[in-house]
Amino acid sequence: ASVGAKLTYRWALSGTTAIAPFAGVYADNYFTKDDAGGAAIPAAMQGASARLLGGVAVTTDYGLKFSSAAELGGLGGNFTSWTFRARGAVPF
């Protein structure tokens, strides 16, 4: 279960290109207890933790899109996880 917020501010760089940086903070609670054996999620990933994220998205009037984001999770919990993601799209 997660609760939090992500804030984005979008502005035009030029007449055809816009940029939108974003940042967010979330509180997560992992419910991973499973007595059925063969747990897919490590036992350390249980309980409450915090997650921070940030990134940027760029779009053009021609339909080109690019975004990248980084996320740091497990803060205050028994684990730490880093995630980085980049996506691009070109219409044809």
Side-chain angles (χ1 to χ4, degrees), residues 51-80:
R51 182 168 34 113
L52 301 174
L53 62 98
V56 64
V58 179
T59 59
T60 69
D61 287 349
Y62 306 111
L64 297 171
K65 297 178 183 179
F66 173 77
S67 66
S68 65
E71 182 177 296
L72 174 60
L75 301 172
N78 298 328
F79 68 97
T80 302

Side-chain angles (χ1 to χ4, degrees), residues 3-7 23-27 51 53:
V3 64
K6 182 170 95 171
L7 301 173
V25 61
Y26 292 87
R51 182 168 34 113
L53 62 98

Side-chain angles (χ1 to χ4, degrees), residues 9-75:
Y9 183 77
R10 186 175 189 266
W11 75 82
L13 288 178
S14 67
T16 61
T17 305
I19 187 168
F22 59 87
V25 61
Y26 292 87
D28 299 324
N29 196 4
Y30 293 89
F31 303 97
T32 58
K33 183 168 174 54
D34 184 6
D35 294 331
I41 299 174
M45 289 182 68
Q46 293 185 14
S49 66
R51 182 168 34 113
L52 301 174
L53 62 98
V56 64
V58 179
T59 59
T60 69
D61 287 349
Y62 306 111
L64 297 171
K65 297 178 183 179
F66 173 77
S67 66
S68 65
E71 182 177 296
L72 174 60
L75 301 172

